[in-house]
Amino acid sequence: PHIENFDIPKGEKYKEIDINIKLKRKEQQVTVEGNVFDENKKPLKASIEVINNATGEVIGKTTANELGKFLSKLQGGKNYGLVVSAEGHLFQSINLDIPPNKDYIKLSDIILNKIQKGKNIVLNNIFFDFDKASLRPDSKPELERVIKVLRENPTMKIEISGHTDNKGSATYNLKLSEARAKSVVDYISSGGIEHSRLAFKGYGLITPIATNATEEGRQIN
């Protein structure tokens, strides 16, 4: 809204007034709803951090209630990372692109695995430029969370697995996925985690988790 005051002199019957008004478009708020469960589909009281992936800044925190439900209000037209965590469980990261014309988003159920041998998580907020193996700066918040988990669990050993889409040859993608996995291990090691606890392996294009027929699916892979 815009408010402007002006006086009409007593006795004035007609007068033209030029008023230039500039209205700023209101930032659209999008309601994001989600549910958090453990492996047995029991609700989890989890903590949720919201990260602006453009800056790496944590811009909001909320918690899931006793039913595992949480709500968050976010600005449309931006890319966010959601990090869902609960004590004794591996955290789950979600990459969330919110279109500018949305007003409500319902997330798929979020399942947190207990910390135990053989479990894995997908790190959805680690970023590389096309055809490169060097980490982008906006990958830092996600990797710092991995470092935190390893510090809190000093006997834990992990493998960082690298994957790609199907663009390019199988040999090329295998090398790229391995180089990217090594970049992640090098960063984690620079955070004080012993190299003996870290392994890396490239799988290239052989184990996709989404279709390679669409740009969105290739990005996920």
Side-chain angles (χ1 to χ4, degrees):
H2 175 93
I3 299 173
E4 189 163 330
N5 296 318
F6 57 92
D7 292 321
I8 302 176
K10 190 175 181 180
E12 192 83 61
K13 292 185 178 180
Y14 175 82
K15 184 177 182 180
E16 285 192 5
I17 302 175
D18 290 327
I19 303 175
N20 295 315
I21 298 172
K22 292 184 178 179
L23 296 182
K24 184 179 179 182
R25 183 179 295 276
K26 187 178 180 181
E27 292 182 347
Q28 183 176 355
Q29 293 289 302
V30 182
T31 299
V32 178
E33 180 183 350
N35 291 281
V36 187
F37 299 97
D38 65 14
E39 295 164 286
N40 299 314
K41 290 293 285 184
K42 291 182 179 179
L44 272 178
K45 292 183 71 174
S47 300
I48 296 95
E49 284 187 340
V50 183
I51 296 99
N52 182 340
N53 279 336
T55 63
E57 178 187 5
V58 176
I59 60 170
K61 294 183 179 181
T62 187
T63 55
N65 62 20
E66 62 276 3
L67 299 176
K69 185 184 292 291
F70 69 90
L71 292 172
S72 186
K73 292 276 191 179
L74 301 175
Q75 184 183 338
K78 293 189 176 184
N79 179 260
Y80 298 94
L82 299 185
V83 180
V84 185
S85 57
E87 188 176 351
H89 295 75
L90 293 167
F91 72 87
Q92 184 78 262
S93 67
I94 299 166
N95 185 277
L96 188 59
D97 257 322
I98 300 184
N101 57 346
K102 280 273 190 181
D103 56 14
Y104 174 79
I105 292 176
K106 178 70 167 71
L107 301 174
S108 300
D109 289 346
I110 300 165
I111 309 296
L112 298 187
N113 292 322
K114 283 189 175 180
I115 297 177
Q116 57 189 34
K117 185 176 180 179
K119 297 296 182 180
N120 67 76
I121 57 173
V122 178
L123 301 174
N124 285 305
N125 294 297
I126 294 182
F127 306 103
F128 300 91
D129 287 325
F130 176 72
D131 205 31
K132 293 183 179 179
S134 52
L135 286 160
R136 286 186 0 209
D138 43 354
S139 304
K140 183 178 177 180
E142 187 93 322
L143 294 173
E144 290 298 329
R145 274 182 287 278
V146 175
I147 292 171
K148 182 173 182 288
V149 170
L150 288 165
R151 285 175 179 162
E152 292 173 348
N153 298 273
T155 62
M156 180 186 286
K157 296 182 179 181
I158 63 170
E159 175 190 282
I160 297 296
S161 309
H163 304 270
T164 68
D165 60 22
N166 64 350
K167 284 189 173 182
S169 70
T171 301
Y172 170 81
N173 278 305
L174 192 64
K175 289 181 179 178
L176 178 63
S177 63
E178 185 167 300
R180 287 179 168 179
K182 183 179 184 301
S183 292
V184 173
V185 163
D186 289 344
Y187 184 95
I188 295 172
S189 178
S190 72
I193 304 301
E194 300 91 338
H195 249 296
S196 60
R197 299 174 60 192
L198 307 170
F200 66 90
K201 185 174 181 179
Y203 291 86
L205 51 76
I206 62 173
T207 55
I209 59 173
T211 177
N212 276 310
T214 66
E215 182 58 39
E216 182 182 12
R218 288 191 293 271
Q219 180 66 31
I220 293 171
N221 289 332

